[in-house]
Amino acid sequence: MGRKRMFVSFMPVAVFLFFMMGGWALAMDHEVQTLTKEGIGTYLADAKGMTLYWFRNDAPGKSACAGPCVDKWPVYFREKVKAGKGLSDGDFGTITREDGKKQSTFRGYPLYSWSGDKARGETNGQGLNKVWYVIDPAVFPPKM
């Protein structure tokens, strides 16, 4: 078999593998995982290990963070969230905010990141203004 013919016959396999691997990588980008940190406990983080937060002023299905708030607390949204180990796909959903943007939720509560977290595992937003908190899936939503 000539080189050109071998190349042509393996081309569909290579293309298939490329898209399958790309699809897998894309799916991993949407996975929410749990991390554990001394002094914080177990909490949710995105696929890159960036902490996800909830806002005490939110209600299930409704965000109270708007305008300048969203500059400091960016909305977390993925079209489809994949639940990582120990989590359930059914815990995640999507809302449409009053500004028309979509936002991912955990057990109905909107999810955010914190502009002050710059690296994997940082939890600098924990307890900020006594209204921003990490999410421990074992005890969420907390009794208020």
Short mmCIF file of all heavy atoms in Angstrom, two decimals, residues 10-79:
data_model
loop_
_atom_site.label_atom_id
_atom_site.label_comp_id
_atom_site.label_asym_id
_atom_site.label_seq_id
_atom_site.Cartn_x
_atom_site.Cartn_y
_atom_site.Cartn_z
N PHE A 10 -6.36 6.26 6.71
CA PHE A 10 -6.32 6.57 8.14
C PHE A 10 -6.92 7.94 8.45
O PHE A 10 -7.21 8.24 9.59
CB PHE A 10 -4.88 6.51 8.68
CG PHE A 10 -4.37 5.12 8.82
CD1 PHE A 10 -3.34 4.67 8.02
CD2 PHE A 10 -4.93 4.25 9.74
CE1 PHE A 10 -2.86 3.38 8.16
CE2 PHE A 10 -4.46 2.96 9.88
CZ PHE A 10 -3.42 2.52 9.08
N MET A 11 -7.13 8.74 7.45
CA MET A 11 -7.66 10.09 7.64
C MET A 11 -8.99 10.10 8.38
O MET A 11 -9.13 10.83 9.35
CB MET A 11 -7.79 10.79 6.28
CG MET A 11 -8.27 12.19 6.41
SD MET A 11 -6.86 13.23 6.70
CE MET A 11 -7.40 14.62 5.79
N PRO A 12 -10.00 9.29 7.99
CA PRO A 12 -11.27 9.33 8.74
C PRO A 12 -11.09 8.96 10.21
O PRO A 12 -11.73 9.54 11.09
CB PRO A 12 -12.15 8.29 8.02
CG PRO A 12 -11.55 8.15 6.66
CD PRO A 12 -10.08 8.41 6.84
N VAL A 13 -10.22 8.02 10.51
CA VAL A 13 -9.97 7.62 11.90
C VAL A 13 -9.35 8.78 12.67
O VAL A 13 -9.75 9.09 13.78
CB VAL A 13 -9.07 6.36 11.96
CG1 VAL A 13 -8.68 6.05 13.39
CG2 VAL A 13 -9.77 5.18 11.32
N ALA A 14 -8.39 9.44 12.05
CA ALA A 14 -7.73 10.57 12.71
C ALA A 14 -8.71 11.70 12.97
O ALA A 14 -8.72 12.30 14.05
CB ALA A 14 -6.55 11.06 11.87
N VAL A 15 -9.55 12.00 12.01
CA VAL A 15 -10.55 13.06 12.17
C VAL A 15 -11.53 12.69 13.30
O VAL A 15 -11.84 13.50 14.16
CB VAL A 15 -11.30 13.33 10.85
CG1 VAL A 15 -12.50 14.23 11.07
CG2 VAL A 15 -10.35 13.94 9.83
N PHE A 16 -11.97 11.44 13.31
CA PHE A 16 -12.89 10.97 14.36
C PHE A 16 -12.25 11.13 15.73
O PHE A 16 -12.86 11.67 16.66
CB PHE A 16 -13.26 9.50 14.09
CG PHE A 16 -14.08 8.90 15.19
CD1 PHE A 16 -15.43 9.18 15.31
CD2 PHE A 16 -13.49 8.06 16.13
CE1 PHE A 16 -16.18 8.63 16.33
CE2 PHE A 16 -14.23 7.52 17.15
CZ PHE A 16 -15.58 7.80 17.25
N LEU A 17 -11.01 10.69 15.89
CA LEU A 17 -10.32 10.78 17.18
C LEU A 17 -10.14 12.24 17.61
O LEU A 17 -10.31 12.57 18.77
CB LEU A 17 -8.98 10.07 17.13
CG LEU A 17 -9.06 8.54 17.08
CD1 LEU A 17 -7.68 7.94 16.88
CD2 LEU A 17 -9.70 8.00 18.34
N PHE A 18 -9.80 13.09 16.66
CA PHE A 18 -9.61 14.50 16.96
C PHE A 18 -10.89 15.10 17.55
O PHE A 18 -10.88 15.76 18.58
CB PHE A 18 -9.20 15.26 15.68
CG PHE A 18 -9.11 16.74 15.88
CD1 PHE A 18 -8.01 17.31 16.48
CD2 PHE A 18 -10.15 17.57 15.47
CE1 PHE A 18 -7.92 18.68 16.66
CE2 PHE A 18 -10.08 18.93 15.65
CZ PHE A 18 -8.96 19.49 16.25
N PHE A 19 -12.03 14.85 16.90
CA PHE A 19 -13.29 15.40 17.39
C PHE A 19 -13.73 14.75 18.70
O PHE A 19 -14.28 15.41 19.57
CB PHE A 19 -14.40 15.29 16.33
CG PHE A 19 -14.25 16.33 15.26
CD1 PHE A 19 -13.89 15.99 13.98
CD2 PHE A 19 -14.45 17.67 15.56
CE1 PHE A 19 -13.74 16.95 13.00
CE2 PHE A 19 -14.31 18.65 14.59
CZ PHE A 19 -13.95 18.29 13.31
N MET A 20 -13.49 13.48 18.85
CA MET A 20 -13.86 12.81 20.10
C MET A 20 -13.04 13.36 21.25
O MET A 20 -13.57 13.63 22.33
CB MET A 20 -13.66 11.29 19.98
CG MET A 20 -14.67 10.62 19.08
SD MET A 20 -16.38 10.90 19.59
CE MET A 20 -16.40 10.00 21.13
N MET A 21 -11.76 13.54 21.05
CA MET A 21 -10.92 14.08 22.12
C MET A 21 -11.29 15.53 22.41
O MET A 21 -11.33 15.94 23.55
CB MET A 21 -9.45 13.95 21.73
CG MET A 21 -8.97 12.51 21.76
SD MET A 21 -7.31 12.32 21.14
CE MET A 21 -6.39 13.07 22.45
N GLY A 22 -11.59 16.29 21.37
CA GLY A 22 -12.01 17.67 21.56
C GLY A 22 -13.33 17.74 22.30
O GLY A 22 -13.52 18.57 23.17
N GLY A 23 -14.25 16.85 21.99
CA GLY A 23 -15.53 16.80 22.68
C GLY A 23 -15.35 16.44 24.14
O GLY A 23 -15.99 16.99 25.02
N TRP A 24 -14.44 15.52 24.42
CA TRP A 24 -14.16 15.12 25.80
C TRP A 24 -13.57 16.30 26.58
O TRP A 24 -13.98 16.58 27.68
CB TRP A 24 -13.20 13.93 25.80
CG TRP A 24 -12.85 13.47 27.18
CD1 TRP A 24 -13.64 12.78 28.05
CD2 TRP A 24 -11.62 13.69 27.86
NE1 TRP A 24 -12.98 12.55 29.23
CE2 TRP A 24 -11.73 13.11 29.13
CE3 TRP A 24 -10.43 14.34 27.53
CZ2 TRP A 24 -10.70 13.13 30.06
CZ3 TRP A 24 -9.41 14.35 28.45
CH2 TRP A 24 -9.56 13.76 29.70
N ALA A 25 -12.64 16.99 25.95
CA ALA A 25 -12.03 18.14 26.62
C ALA A 25 -13.08 19.21 26.89
O ALA A 25 -13.09 19.84 27.94
CB ALA A 25 -10.89 18.69 25.78
N LEU A 26 -13.99 19.42 25.94
CA LEU A 26 -15.04 20.40 26.11
C LEU A 26 -15.97 19.99 27.25
O LEU A 26 -16.34 20.80 28.08
CB LEU A 26 -15.84 20.54 24.81
CG LEU A 26 -16.93 21.60 24.80
CD1 LEU A 26 -16.33 22.98 25.05
CD2 LEU A 26 -17.65 21.58 23.46
N ALA A 27 -16.30 18.71 27.33
CA ALA A 27 -17.15 18.23 28.41
C ALA A 27 -16.47 18.45 29.76
O ALA A 27 -17.11 18.80 30.74
CB ALA A 27 -17.48 16.76 28.21
N MET A 28 -15.18 18.24 29.82
CA MET A 28 -14.45 18.42 31.07
C MET A 28 -14.47 19.89 31.50
O MET A 28 -14.44 20.19 32.67
CB MET A 28 -13.01 17.94 30.92
CG MET A 28 -12.89 16.43 30.71
SD MET A 28 -13.65 15.47 32.03
CE MET A 28 -12.50 15.79 33.34
N ASP A 29 -14.54 20.82 30.56
CA ASP A 29 -14.59 22.23 30.86
C ASP A 29 -15.88 22.59 31.61
O ASP A 29 -15.95 23.61 32.26
CB ASP A 29 -14.50 23.04 29.56
CG ASP A 29 -14.55 24.53 29.82
OD1 ASP A 29 -13.79 25.01 30.67
OD2 ASP A 29 -15.37 25.21 29.18
N HIS A 30 -16.86 21.73 31.54
CA HIS A 30 -18.16 22.01 32.15
C HIS A 30 -18.37 21.23 33.44
O HIS A 30 -19.45 21.26 34.00
CB HIS A 30 -19.28 21.68 31.16
CG HIS A 30 -19.19 22.52 29.92
ND1 HIS A 30 -19.93 23.65 29.76
CD2 HIS A 30 -18.43 22.41 28.82
CE1 HIS A 30 -19.63 24.21 28.60
NE2 HIS A 30 -18.73 23.47 28.01
N GLU A 31 -17.36 20.53 33.90
CA GLU A 31 -17.52 19.71 35.09
C GLU A 31 -17.31 20.54 36.35
O GLU A 31 -16.34 21.28 36.48
CB GLU A 31 -16.52 18.56 35.08
CG GLU A 31 -16.70 17.64 36.28
CD GLU A 31 -15.82 16.41 36.19
OE1 GLU A 31 -16.26 15.43 35.59
OE2 GLU A 31 -14.69 16.46 36.70
N VAL A 32 -18.26 20.43 37.27
CA VAL A 32 -18.12 21.04 38.58
C VAL A 32 -17.61 19.96 39.52
O VAL A 32 -18.11 18.83 39.53
CB VAL A 32 -19.45 21.63 39.07
CG1 VAL A 32 -19.37 22.06 40.52
CG2 VAL A 32 -19.84 22.83 38.20
N GLN A 33 -16.61 20.29 40.29
CA GLN A 33 -15.97 19.33 41.19
C GLN A 33 -16.04 19.83 42.64
O GLN A 33 -16.43 20.97 42.88
CB GLN A 33 -14.50 19.16 40.78
CG GLN A 33 -13.71 20.47 40.82
CD GLN A 33 -12.31 20.33 40.30
OE1 GLN A 33 -11.59 19.43 40.69
NE2 GLN A 33 -11.91 21.23 39.40
N THR A 34 -15.68 18.97 43.55
CA THR A 34 -15.56 19.39 44.95
C THR A 34 -14.08 19.42 45.30
O THR A 34 -13.32 18.54 44.90
CB THR A 34 -16.31 18.46 45.91
OG1 THR A 34 -15.86 17.12 45.74
CG2 THR A 34 -17.81 18.53 45.69
N LEU A 35 -13.71 20.43 46.04
CA LEU A 35 -12.36 20.55 46.58
C LEU A 35 -12.48 20.64 48.09
O LEU A 35 -13.55 20.96 48.62
CB LEU A 35 -11.65 21.79 46.03
CG LEU A 35 -11.44 21.86 44.52
CD1 LEU A 35 -10.76 23.18 44.14
CD2 LEU A 35 -10.65 20.68 44.01
N THR A 36 -11.40 20.41 48.78
CA THR A 36 -11.39 20.51 50.24
C THR A 36 -10.19 21.36 50.65
O THR A 36 -9.10 21.21 50.09
CB THR A 36 -11.28 19.12 50.88
OG1 THR A 36 -12.38 18.33 50.41
CG2 THR A 36 -11.35 19.20 52.40
N LYS A 37 -10.44 22.24 51.62
CA LYS A 37 -9.38 23.14 52.08
C LYS A 37 -9.50 23.29 53.59
O LYS A 37 -10.61 23.47 54.11
CB LYS A 37 -9.55 24.50 51.39
CG LYS A 37 -8.50 25.51 51.69
CD LYS A 37 -8.75 26.75 50.84
CE LYS A 37 -7.65 27.75 50.97
NZ LYS A 37 -7.91 28.92 50.10
N GLU A 38 -8.38 23.22 54.26
CA GLU A 38 -8.37 23.39 55.71
C GLU A 38 -8.95 24.76 56.07
O GLU A 38 -8.63 25.77 55.45
CB GLU A 38 -6.94 23.27 56.25
CG GLU A 38 -6.90 23.20 57.76
CD GLU A 38 -5.50 22.90 58.28
OE1 GLU A 38 -4.75 22.16 57.63
OE2 GLU A 38 -5.19 23.44 59.36
N GLY A 39 -9.84 24.79 57.04
CA GLY A 39 -10.47 26.02 57.47
C GLY A 39 -11.72 26.38 56.68
O GLY A 39 -12.50 27.22 57.09
N ILE A 40 -11.90 25.74 55.52
CA ILE A 40 -13.06 26.00 54.66
C ILE A 40 -13.95 24.76 54.61
O ILE A 40 -15.15 24.83 54.66
CB ILE A 40 -12.63 26.39 53.23
CG1 ILE A 40 -11.83 27.69 53.25
CG2 ILE A 40 -13.82 26.47 52.29
CD1 ILE A 40 -12.64 28.93 53.53
N GLY A 41 -13.33 23.60 54.47
CA GLY A 41 -14.06 22.35 54.31
C GLY A 41 -14.22 22.01 52.83
O GLY A 41 -13.42 22.43 52.00
N THR A 42 -15.26 21.29 52.51
CA THR A 42 -15.53 20.88 51.13
C THR A 42 -16.35 21.97 50.45
O THR A 42 -17.27 22.52 51.05
CB THR A 42 -16.29 19.54 51.12
OG1 THR A 42 -15.49 18.56 51.77
CG2 THR A 42 -16.59 19.08 49.70
N TYR A 43 -16.02 22.25 49.18
CA TYR A 43 -16.73 23.29 48.44
C TYR A 43 -16.71 23.00 46.95
O TYR A 43 -15.89 22.22 46.47
CB TYR A 43 -16.15 24.67 48.74
CG TYR A 43 -14.69 24.83 48.35
CD1 TYR A 43 -14.35 25.39 47.12
CD2 TYR A 43 -13.67 24.40 49.18
CE1 TYR A 43 -13.03 25.52 46.74
CE2 TYR A 43 -12.34 24.53 48.82
CZ TYR A 43 -12.03 25.10 47.59
OH TYR A 43 -10.72 25.23 47.22
N LEU A 44 -17.61 23.65 46.22
CA LEU A 44 -17.70 23.48 44.77
C LEU A 44 -16.70 24.37 44.06
O LEU A 44 -16.45 25.51 44.47
CB LEU A 44 -19.10 23.83 44.27
CG LEU A 44 -20.27 22.99 44.75
CD1 LEU A 44 -21.57 23.49 44.11
CD2 LEU A 44 -20.06 21.53 44.45
N ALA A 45 -16.17 23.83 42.95
CA ALA A 45 -15.25 24.58 42.09
C ALA A 45 -15.51 24.19 40.65
O ALA A 45 -16.02 23.09 40.38
CB ALA A 45 -13.80 24.30 42.48
N ASP A 46 -15.17 25.06 39.73
CA ASP A 46 -15.34 24.74 38.31
C ASP A 46 -14.24 23.77 37.86
O ASP A 46 -13.40 23.34 38.66
CB ASP A 46 -15.41 26.01 37.46
CG ASP A 46 -14.10 26.76 37.35
OD1 ASP A 46 -13.03 26.26 37.78
OD2 ASP A 46 -14.12 27.89 36.82
N ALA A 47 -14.22 23.47 36.58
CA ALA A 47 -13.28 22.50 36.04
C ALA A 47 -11.83 22.92 36.22
O ALA A 47 -10.93 22.08 36.28
CB ALA A 47 -13.57 22.26 34.56
N LYS A 48 -11.58 24.22 36.34
CA LYS A 48 -10.22 24.73 36.52
C LYS A 48 -9.84 24.86 37.99
O LYS A 48 -8.76 25.32 38.32
CB LYS A 48 -10.07 26.07 35.81
CG LYS A 48 -10.23 25.96 34.30
CD LYS A 48 -10.17 27.32 33.66
CE LYS A 48 -10.42 27.18 32.16
NZ LYS A 48 -10.54 28.49 31.52
N GLY A 49 -10.76 24.50 38.87
CA GLY A 49 -10.49 24.59 40.30
C GLY A 49 -10.79 25.95 40.90
O GLY A 49 -10.42 26.23 42.04
N MET A 50 -11.48 26.79 40.13
CA MET A 50 -11.86 28.11 40.65
C MET A 50 -13.14 27.97 41.47
O MET A 50 -14.12 27.36 41.03
CB MET A 50 -12.05 29.11 39.51
CG MET A 50 -10.79 29.32 38.67
SD MET A 50 -9.35 29.88 39.61
CE MET A 50 -9.83 31.55 40.00
N THR A 51 -13.14 28.53 42.65
CA THR A 51 -14.23 28.40 43.60
C THR A 51 -15.53 29.00 43.08
O THR A 51 -15.54 30.06 42.47
CB THR A 51 -13.84 29.09 44.93
OG1 THR A 51 -12.62 28.50 45.40
CG2 THR A 51 -14.93 28.94 45.98
N LEU A 52 -16.62 28.30 43.34
CA LEU A 52 -17.96 28.79 43.04
C LEU A 52 -18.63 29.22 44.34
O LEU A 52 -18.46 28.56 45.37
CB LEU A 52 -18.79 27.70 42.34
CG LEU A 52 -18.25 27.29 40.97
CD1 LEU A 52 -19.04 26.10 40.43
CD2 LEU A 52 -18.30 28.46 39.99
N TYR A 53 -19.38 30.30 44.26
CA TYR A 53 -20.00 30.90 45.45
C TYR A 53 -21.51 31.04 45.28
O TYR A 53 -22.02 31.03 44.17
CB TYR A 53 -19.43 32.31 45.69
CG TYR A 53 -17.96 32.33 46.00
CD1 TYR A 53 -17.00 32.39 44.99
CD2 TYR A 53 -17.50 32.28 47.32
CE1 TYR A 53 -15.64 32.43 45.28
CE2 TYR A 53 -16.15 32.31 47.62
CZ TYR A 53 -15.23 32.39 46.60
OH TYR A 53 -13.89 32.41 46.89
N TRP A 54 -22.18 31.24 46.40
CA TRP A 54 -23.59 31.61 46.40
C TRP A 54 -23.74 32.89 47.20
O TRP A 54 -22.92 33.23 48.05
CB TRP A 54 -24.48 30.49 46.92
CG TRP A 54 -24.44 30.25 48.41
CD1 TRP A 54 -23.47 29.61 49.11
CD2 TRP A 54 -25.41 30.66 49.36
NE1 TRP A 54 -23.78 29.60 50.45
CE2 TRP A 54 -24.97 30.23 50.63
CE3 TRP A 54 -26.62 31.34 49.27
CZ2 TRP A 54 -25.69 30.46 51.80
CZ3 TRP A 54 -27.34 31.57 50.44
CH2 TRP A 54 -26.88 31.14 51.68
N PHE A 55 -24.81 33.63 46.88
CA PHE A 55 -25.10 34.93 47.48
C PHE A 55 -26.31 34.79 48.38
O PHE A 55 -27.38 34.38 47.93
CB PHE A 55 -25.37 35.91 46.33
CG PHE A 55 -25.59 37.35 46.71
CD1 PHE A 55 -24.95 37.95 47.78
CD2 PHE A 55 -26.44 38.13 45.93
CE1 PHE A 55 -25.15 39.29 48.09
CE2 PHE A 55 -26.65 39.47 46.22
CZ PHE A 55 -26.00 40.05 47.31
N ARG A 56 -26.14 35.12 49.65
CA ARG A 56 -27.22 34.95 50.63
C ARG A 56 -28.49 35.73 50.25
O ARG A 56 -29.60 35.34 50.61
CB ARG A 56 -26.75 35.38 52.02
CG ARG A 56 -27.79 35.18 53.10
CD ARG A 56 -27.31 35.58 54.48
NE ARG A 56 -26.38 34.61 55.04
CZ ARG A 56 -26.74 33.48 55.64
NH1 ARG A 56 -28.00 33.15 55.72
NH2 ARG A 56 -25.83 32.69 56.15
N ASN A 57 -28.37 36.81 49.50
CA ASN A 57 -29.54 37.61 49.11
C ASN A 57 -30.31 37.01 47.95
O ASN A 57 -31.39 37.51 47.61
CB ASN A 57 -29.12 39.04 48.78
CG ASN A 57 -28.55 39.76 49.99
OD1 ASN A 57 -28.73 39.34 51.13
ND2 ASN A 57 -27.84 40.84 49.75
N ASP A 58 -29.76 35.98 47.31
CA ASP A 58 -30.48 35.30 46.22
C ASP A 58 -31.57 34.41 46.78
O ASP A 58 -31.54 34.02 47.95
CB ASP A 58 -29.53 34.41 45.40
CG ASP A 58 -28.62 35.20 44.47
OD1 ASP A 58 -28.82 36.41 44.28
OD2 ASP A 58 -27.68 34.57 43.92
N ALA A 59 -32.52 34.09 45.93
CA ALA A 59 -33.57 33.13 46.24
C ALA A 59 -33.48 32.02 45.20
O ALA A 59 -32.91 32.23 44.12
CB ALA A 59 -34.94 33.80 46.18
N PRO A 60 -34.01 30.86 45.49
CA PRO A 60 -33.98 29.80 44.46
C PRO A 60 -34.60 30.32 43.16
O PRO A 60 -35.69 30.88 43.15
CB PRO A 60 -34.83 28.68 45.07
CG PRO A 60 -34.72 28.90 46.55
CD PRO A 60 -34.67 30.40 46.72
N GLY A 61 -33.85 30.19 42.08
CA GLY A 61 -34.31 30.60 40.76
C GLY A 61 -34.22 32.09 40.47
O GLY A 61 -34.64 32.54 39.41
N LYS A 62 -33.65 32.88 41.39
CA LYS A 62 -33.59 34.33 41.18
C LYS A 62 -32.30 34.92 41.75
O LYS A 62 -31.98 34.71 42.91
CB LYS A 62 -34.79 34.99 41.85
CG LYS A 62 -34.85 36.48 41.60
CD LYS A 62 -36.26 36.99 41.75
CE LYS A 62 -36.35 38.48 41.62
NZ LYS A 62 -35.93 39.04 40.38
N SER A 63 -31.59 35.68 40.91
CA SER A 63 -30.37 36.36 41.32
C SER A 63 -30.66 37.77 41.79
O SER A 63 -31.41 38.51 41.14
CB SER A 63 -29.38 36.42 40.15
OG SER A 63 -28.29 37.25 40.49
N ALA A 64 -30.06 38.16 42.91
CA ALA A 64 -30.17 39.53 43.41
C ALA A 64 -28.90 40.33 43.11
O ALA A 64 -28.80 41.49 43.49
CB ALA A 64 -30.43 39.50 44.92
N CYS A 65 -27.94 39.71 42.44
CA CYS A 65 -26.67 40.38 42.11
C CYS A 65 -26.78 40.94 40.69
O CYS A 65 -26.91 40.19 39.73
CB CYS A 65 -25.53 39.38 42.20
SG CYS A 65 -23.90 40.04 41.78
N ALA A 66 -26.74 42.28 40.58
CA ALA A 66 -26.87 42.92 39.28
C ALA A 66 -25.95 44.14 39.24
O ALA A 66 -25.41 44.58 40.26
CB ALA A 66 -28.32 43.33 39.04
N GLY A 67 -25.79 44.70 38.05
CA GLY A 67 -24.99 45.91 37.87
C GLY A 67 -23.56 45.72 38.33
O GLY A 67 -22.91 44.74 37.96
N PRO A 68 -23.04 46.65 39.17
CA PRO A 68 -21.64 46.56 39.63
C PRO A 68 -21.34 45.27 40.40
O PRO A 68 -20.20 44.83 40.44
CB PRO A 68 -21.48 47.78 40.54
CG PRO A 68 -22.58 48.71 40.17
CD PRO A 68 -23.70 47.86 39.65
N CYS A 69 -22.35 44.68 41.00
CA CYS A 69 -22.17 43.42 41.73
C CYS A 69 -21.60 42.35 40.81
O CYS A 69 -20.70 41.61 41.19
CB CYS A 69 -23.51 42.96 42.31
SG CYS A 69 -23.46 41.36 43.15
N VAL A 70 -22.10 42.28 39.57
CA VAL A 70 -21.68 41.25 38.62
C VAL A 70 -20.24 41.49 38.16
O VAL A 70 -19.56 40.56 37.75
CB VAL A 70 -22.66 41.17 37.43
CG1 VAL A 70 -22.19 40.20 36.36
CG2 VAL A 70 -24.04 40.75 37.93
N ASP A 71 -19.76 42.74 38.25
CA ASP A 71 -18.37 43.02 37.90
C ASP A 71 -17.42 42.32 38.89
O ASP A 71 -16.38 41.80 38.51
CB ASP A 71 -18.08 44.52 37.90
CG ASP A 71 -18.83 45.25 36.80
OD1 ASP A 71 -19.18 44.62 35.78
OD2 ASP A 71 -19.07 46.47 36.97
N LYS A 72 -17.79 42.33 40.16
CA LYS A 72 -16.97 41.70 41.20
C LYS A 72 -17.28 40.22 41.36
O LYS A 72 -16.43 39.44 41.74
CB LYS A 72 -17.17 42.42 42.53
CG LYS A 72 -16.63 43.82 42.52
CD LYS A 72 -16.83 44.50 43.86
CE LYS A 72 -16.28 45.91 43.79
NZ LYS A 72 -16.42 46.64 45.04
N TRP A 73 -18.52 39.85 41.08
CA TRP A 73 -18.99 38.47 41.24
C TRP A 73 -19.52 37.98 39.90
O TRP A 73 -20.73 37.93 39.68
CB TRP A 73 -20.08 38.40 42.31
CG TRP A 73 -19.56 38.77 43.66
CD1 TRP A 73 -19.59 40.00 44.24
CD2 TRP A 73 -18.89 37.91 44.57
NE1 TRP A 73 -18.98 39.95 45.47
CE2 TRP A 73 -18.54 38.67 45.70
CE3 TRP A 73 -18.55 36.55 44.54
CZ2 TRP A 73 -17.87 38.14 46.79
CZ3 TRP A 73 -17.89 36.01 45.64
CH2 TRP A 73 -17.55 36.80 46.73
N PRO A 74 -18.62 37.63 38.97
CA PRO A 74 -19.07 37.19 37.64
C PRO A 74 -20.01 35.99 37.71
O PRO A 74 -19.82 35.06 38.50
CB PRO A 74 -17.77 36.82 36.93
CG PRO A 74 -16.70 37.58 37.66
CD PRO A 74 -17.17 37.65 39.09
N VAL A 75 -21.02 36.05 36.87
CA VAL A 75 -22.01 34.99 36.75
C VAL A 75 -21.32 33.74 36.20
O VAL A 75 -20.55 33.83 35.25
CB VAL A 75 -23.13 35.46 35.79
CG1 VAL A 75 -24.02 34.32 35.38
CG2 VAL A 75 -23.91 36.59 36.43
N TYR A 76 -21.60 32.60 36.80
CA TYR A 76 -21.09 31.32 36.28
C TYR A 76 -22.18 30.72 35.41
O TYR A 76 -23.31 30.52 35.86
CB TYR A 76 -20.73 30.37 37.42
CG TYR A 76 -20.28 29.02 36.94
CD1 TYR A 76 -18.99 28.83 36.48
CD2 TYR A 76 -21.14 27.94 36.93
CE1 TYR A 76 -18.57 27.59 36.03
CE2 TYR A 76 -20.73 26.69 36.48
CZ TYR A 76 -19.44 26.52 36.02
OH TYR A 76 -19.02 25.29 35.57
N PHE A 77 -21.81 30.44 34.15
CA PHE A 77 -22.77 29.79 33.25
C PHE A 77 -22.07 28.81 32.33
O PHE A 77 -21.06 29.13 31.71
CB PHE A 77 -23.54 30.81 32.41
CG PHE A 77 -24.42 30.15 31.38
CD1 PHE A 77 -25.55 29.43 31.78
CD2 PHE A 77 -24.10 30.18 30.04
CE1 PHE A 77 -26.35 28.79 30.85
CE2 PHE A 77 -24.90 29.55 29.10
CZ PHE A 77 -26.02 28.84 29.50
N ARG A 78 -22.62 27.63 32.26
CA ARG A 78 -22.25 26.62 31.28
C ARG A 78 -23.57 26.07 30.73
O ARG A 78 -24.51 25.83 31.49
CB ARG A 78 -21.44 25.47 31.90
CG ARG A 78 -20.10 25.90 32.48
CD ARG A 78 -19.16 26.41 31.40
NE ARG A 78 -17.85 26.76 31.91
CZ ARG A 78 -17.48 27.96 32.34
NH1 ARG A 78 -18.36 28.95 32.37
NH2 ARG A 78 -16.26 28.19 32.76
N GLU A 79 -23.63 25.89 29.43
CA GLU A 79 -24.86 25.39 28.79
C GLU A 79 -25.31 24.09 29.45
O GLU A 79 -26.48 23.90 29.74
CB GLU A 79 -24.62 25.18 27.30
CG GLU A 79 -25.88 24.92 26.51
CD GLU A 79 -26.82 26.11 26.45
OE1 GLU A 79 -26.36 27.25 26.30
OE2 GLU A 79 -28.05 25.88 26.56
#
